[in-house]
């Protein structure tokens, strides 16, 4: 989509840098606080909630920017930013969510595996399979939405609904989680 709007491959590659930095920073923080069961649960509940509301906000901003670019001729001349800002923002908040949830999710999977008498390798494999399934499906669904001519607001709205549903499911699933003996 960015290429169709005149962005070079180099520029598109550089756009992903802030999201990678955000993921690195939040991964380190989440890894430090994931030692506590309560912290893990809080992070796994709040992360999709914050992601959902962030995507909703980004969608509203994108819709507003698109509307303003049709009304105001001075904004029309910088129409590439009406696409760049929402995409960059979405990349940053999505990477932040992944960075925040990764270590707590893996720690919780390790607890669940230990409680069932399974090894950490099996827990890590199950966790990575779930993450990679999401990483594969997300861009595929976005590509389908773009080919169906959805606008950025519609794509963000669907992403927000999915994230908020994940938060709701997490609150239900984490309610009765049995943790490994000795986990705090």
């Amino acid at each position: 989509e960015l290429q169709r709007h005149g962005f070079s491959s180099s520029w598109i590659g550089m756009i992903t840098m802030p999201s990678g930095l955000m993921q690195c920073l939040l991964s380190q923080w989440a890894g430090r606080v994931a030692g506590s069961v309560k912290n893990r649960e809080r992070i796994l509940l709040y992360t999709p909630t914050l992601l959902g509301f962030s995507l909703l906000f980004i969608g509203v901003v994108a819709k507003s920017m698109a509307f303003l670019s049709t009304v105001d001729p001075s904004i029309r001349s910088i129409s590439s930013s009406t696409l760049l800002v929402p995409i960059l923002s979405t990349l940053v908040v999505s990477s932040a969510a992944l960075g925040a949830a990764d270590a707590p999710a893996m720690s919780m999977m390790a607890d669940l595996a230990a409680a069932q008498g399974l090894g950490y390798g099996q827990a890590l494999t199950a966790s990575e399979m779930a993450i990679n399934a999401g990483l594969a499906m997300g861009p595929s669904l976005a590509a389908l939405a773009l080919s169906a001519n959805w606008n950025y607001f519609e794509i963000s709205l669907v992403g927000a609904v999915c994230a908020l549903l994940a938060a709701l499911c997490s609150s239900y699933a984490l309610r009765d989680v049995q943790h490994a003996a000795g986990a705090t």
Side-chain angles (χ1 to χ4, degrees):
E1 187 66 17
L2 289 172
Q3 234 172 5
R4 284 194 300 168
H5 284 82
F7 288 94
S8 69
S9 297
S10 300
W11 186 245
I12 293 170
M14 288 177 22
I15 289 172
T16 62
M17 287 175 54
S19 62
L21 292 173
M22 181 63 76
Q23 185 174 349
C24 288
L25 291 172
L26 281 171
S27 291
Q28 290 179 3
W29 168 79
R32 280 194 298 273
V33 299
S36 159
V37 170
K38 286 295 175 195
N39 286 345
R40 286 194 295 264
E41 289 177 356
R42 285 185 188 116
I43 292 169
L44 291 174
L45 289 174
Y46 296 150
T47 298
T49 304
L50 290 172
L51 176 61
F53 286 119
S54 297
L55 289 174
L56 189 60
F57 177 75
I58 291 167
V60 168
V61 168
K63 186 78 165 174
S64 301
M65 289 175 73
F67 174 73
L68 289 175
S69 71
T70 62
V71 174
D72 188 352
S74 65
I75 294 176
R76 199 174 303 140
S77 65
I78 56 168
S79 65
S80 62
S81 67
T82 63
L83 183 66
L84 182 63
V85 170
I87 288 176
L88 181 60
S89 302
T90 300
L91 284 170
V92 168
V93 298
S94 299
S95 294
L98 180 60
D102 199 24
M106 287 185 190
S107 297
M108 186 168 283
M109 289 293 285
D111 275 356
L112 293 170
Q116 297 297 316
L118 301 172
Y120 290 125
Q122 291 169 303
L124 181 61
T125 299
S127 180
E128 287 300 314
M129 286 174 60
I131 290 169
N132 287 323
L135 288 173
M137 288 187 331
S140 301
L141 293 176
L144 282 173
L146 288 172
S147 68
N149 293 322
W150 284 16
N151 62 37
Y152 210 84
F153 175 73
E154 293 165 331
I155 294 170
S156 295
L157 184 62
V158 170
V161 168
C162 289
L164 292 171
L165 283 173
L168 184 64
C169 291
S170 293
S171 67
Y172 178 75
L174 292 175
R175 197 175 54 187
D176 299 316
V177 170
Q178 297 281 324
H179 297 286
T184 58

